[in-house]
Amino acid sequence: MIDWQRVDVVLLDMDGTLLDLHYDNYFWSRHLPARYAELKSATADQANSRIDELVEQHRGSLNWYCLDFWSRELALDIVPLKREVADRVQMRPGAADFLSALRQSGRTPWLVTNAHRDSVLVKMERENIEPCFDRMILSHDFAAAKEHQAFWQRMMAQHPFDPARALLIDDSAAVLEAAAEFGIGQLLTIAQPDSQQPARDALHHPVLHDFAQIMPIPALKPAA
């Protein structure tokens, strides 16, 4: 699936790629509406309607991923609420072994995520994958989500690399399309980002079912 001899930098999404998306889906679809209803003395329908409205208005934008935005709009402190169910944060099967093999292969691994910094911290408290990466790149630092060319251009300006010799693994079709437009050389999507949901089909990019499919081979060393 991967031509490893044409890969120097590996760009890895976090939620739904390395970490099970079940935590995020559970929080936003069940836990947050229930806690909003409780704390705001609202009905379940009112809570779901308010959250769904904001989701639809801001989907794919940086606000959609921004915990400061959600705290402000819902008049709730979102971070403690996320910690209430943080026991659901877990690595996807095979992700830890893949990260270890990636480092041993001589490639340069970067975490590239739309997640808000506070969300990253909550997850790292449960699954500390930060030491696995040379760089932690958060789209909030560039004021643009990965779905938009502005993110890729600003990231490149601060962290130069050869896009043609990069691999991106991400569960979002919109992100992968933006990366392809930018010139990222190889792309993979995730068949089953959420372990509690069925595997997806009709995907438009090469599909990764198991990290064991793509264990990296050692990089070729330059001739002496």
Side-chain angles (χ1 to χ4, degrees):
M1 296 179 68
I2 300 298
D3 181 354
W4 281 110
Q5 299 303 349
R6 294 194 299 112
V7 176
D8 298 326
V9 176
V10 181
L11 311 174
L12 290 158
D13 175 49
M14 183 173 68
D15 303 320
T17 297
L18 297 174
L19 300 183
D20 192 335
L21 196 60
H22 171 64
Y23 166 75
D24 297 278
N25 287 342
Y26 179 85
F27 176 80
W28 293 103
S29 67
R30 296 180 62 181
H31 187 69
L32 179 60
R35 295 291 277 131
Y36 180 88
E38 177 186 354
L39 295 169
K40 299 297 180 182
S41 299
T43 67
D45 285 345
Q46 289 171 333
N48 282 307
S49 177
R50 177 60 177 146
I51 293 168
D52 290 347
E53 176 187 18
L54 290 170
V55 166
E56 290 307 312
Q57 287 177 355
H58 298 276
R59 187 184 300 276
S61 72
L62 205 58
N63 280 342
W64 201 46
Y65 303 100
C66 181
L67 300 191
D68 294 334
F69 167 81
W70 284 97
S71 293
R72 182 173 63 252
E73 291 297 316
L74 298 179
L76 292 174
D77 192 348
I78 297 295
V79 175
L81 299 182
K82 289 184 74 73
R83 283 198 169 96
E84 288 176 355
V85 290
D87 60 314
R88 294 175 182 267
V89 175
Q90 62 180 354
M91 296 281 281
R92 292 189 61 252
D97 290 340
F98 176 73
L99 289 172
S100 177
L102 189 60
R103 175 70 74 187
Q104 294 172 17
S105 78
R107 270 75 184 197
T108 302
W110 295 359
L111 184 70
V112 183
T113 179
N114 277 330
H116 186 269
R117 189 171 299 278
D118 289 338
S119 183
V120 173
L121 290 174
V122 169
K123 289 165 182 175
M124 294 299 170
E125 289 168 2
R126 303 291 302 190
E127 295 283 0
N128 185 19
I129 58 175
E130 183 173 359
C132 299
F133 297 98
D134 284 18
R135 299 181 188 181
M136 300 269 290
I137 296 174
L138 279 61
S139 62
H140 284 71
D141 293 339
F142 299 99
K146 294 187 295 181
E147 289 88 335
H148 304 285
Q149 290 303 303
F151 165 78
W152 296 97
Q153 294 160 2
R154 293 168 189 171
M155 184 185 79
M156 170 67 82
Q158 188 165 328
H159 303 284
F161 68 103
D162 182 355
R165 293 190 58 81
L167 162 67
L168 170 66
I169 308 178
D170 200 296
D171 66 308
S172 166
V175 169
L176 291 163
E177 288 161 9
E181 181 181 346
F182 185 70
I184 300 298
Q186 298 185 67
L187 306 168
L188 282 180
T189 193
I190 302 296
Q192 191 179 19
D194 181 336
S195 64
Q196 305 302 307
Q197 298 293 328
R200 304 179 297 174
D201 55 16
L203 298 170
H204 299 296
H205 295 90
V207 179
L208 178 63
H209 294 272
D210 189 314
F211 280 105
Q213 294 175 262
I214 59 163
M215 283 299 181
I217 61 174
L220 290 175
K221 296 181 179 180

